Amino acid sequence: LHVVCSSGGILLDQLLGAGSLAAATFCHCWSPVGPAPASCFRRHCESGASEPRLRELSIGWLTAALTAGAWGVPFVPVPELPGTGYQDADWTAGAVSTVESPFGAATVIAAIVPDVAFVHVDAVTRRGDGLLRVPRGETPVAALASERVVVVAEELVDDAVARQAPTEVAIPGVVVDAIVVEPGVAHPDGVPGRYPRDVEDYEAYTRAARTEEGFDAWLRVLLSSTPNEPRSGAAT
């Protein structure tokens, strides 16, 4: 897998630890409950290993790269970030360059066109319209940039709901290829107005992942459990 995500969080940490990644393009990877590091991510970076490949972008640069993908252009101009590792140490792994034009030089970032976008929304209609009742961030442009879009929703609602609240439609159904309705799917994270973040679950995971042996034991418990079975200390 080559995962593209803004907030890598614990999910990116788990995929790294499980050896499921060939590459990752991300903005940050941390435990939102702390102070505690994302230990698998930290071990990988401190090891100096070249695989999986990591490409770190600022949130603004990632959004711009996805916007280029949505527009169908090879790159878009972005502000320079001098004095940061994004530009001075090439954390982007070659994603940023400089182009010349009759109007002057510009710093540009290459387009990102994911094969599949998995987009979490608060609710989805039967037509596939995805409703978000929280700040949208890069979510809409990520969906528009991708070849295929899977909307993962907390609730299935009637089409009339989208007509009554058109400003809440963040993902138009016309670009959606599949929908999944699974209440609680964001666990152990929370969804405003539905359920809180499971702090105890996060803490249990970060304690387990402090060592490779602890992470491997956590992963074995996760893989041995059946779907929808409660998992003590397992973040999914």
Side-chain angles (χ1 to χ4, degrees):
L1 294 175
H2 179 172
V3 170
V4 178
C5 54
S6 58
S7 173
I10 291 302
L11 178 58
L12 179 57
D13 192 62
Q14 292 168 355
L15 290 171
L16 273 168
S20 301
L21 296 184
T25 297
F26 66 101
C27 297
H28 53 77
C29 181
W30 58 25
S31 170
V33 177
S39 296
C40 295
F41 176 83
R42 182 173 182 172
R43 280 193 293 273
H44 172 72
C45 292
E46 291 179 345
S47 73
S50 59
E51 299 292 338
R53 303 181 307 279
L54 299 182
R55 181 170 66 173
E56 184 176 351
L57 308 178
S58 71
I59 292 178
W61 278 9
L62 177 65
T63 302
L66 290 168
T67 299
W71 288 350
V73 296
F75 56 80
V76 293
V78 291
E80 293 188 13
L81 297 175
T84 67
Y86 300 115
Q87 196 154 338
D88 296 351
D90 193 26
W91 291 350
T92 71
V96 174
S97 185
T98 301
V99 297
E100 299 286 345
S101 78
F103 313 106
T107 299
V108 298
I109 191 164
I112 294 177
V113 182
D115 294 319
V116 183
F118 293 91
V119 182
H120 178 263
V121 297
D122 188 67
V124 66
T125 70
R126 298 183 185 278
R127 296 186 304 180
D129 296 317
L131 283 70
L132 273 176
R133 295 168 180 142
V134 294
R136 299 177 181 183
E138 76 289 345
T139 301
V141 73
L144 294 174
S146 301
E147 299 287 349
R148 298 286 186 270
V149 179
V150 179
V151 167
V152 184
E154 298 287 332
E155 179 185 10
L156 180 66
V157 297
D158 292 334
D159 294 339
V161 174
R163 293 195 294 270
Q164 293 166 1
T167 58
E168 293 182 355
V169 178
I171 311 298
V174 68
V175 304
V176 174
D177 296 278
I179 63 174
V180 177
V181 180
E182 184 67 30
V185 70
H187 180 270
D189 235 343
V191 175
R194 292 189 178 270
Y195 49 89
R197 173 175 289 162
D198 189 337
V199 175
E200 291 184 358
D201 199 298
Y202 267 107
E203 290 177 337
Y205 170 75
T206 56
R207 286 194 300 270
R210 285 173 184 164
T211 65
E212 290 188 45
E213 296 77 13
F215 176 82
D216 290 343
W218 172 88
L219 187 61
R220 285 195 298 272
V221 171
L222 180 72
L223 296 178
S224 64
S225 61
T226 58
N228 300 320
E229 177 184 336
R231 294 180 288 270
S232 176
T236 57

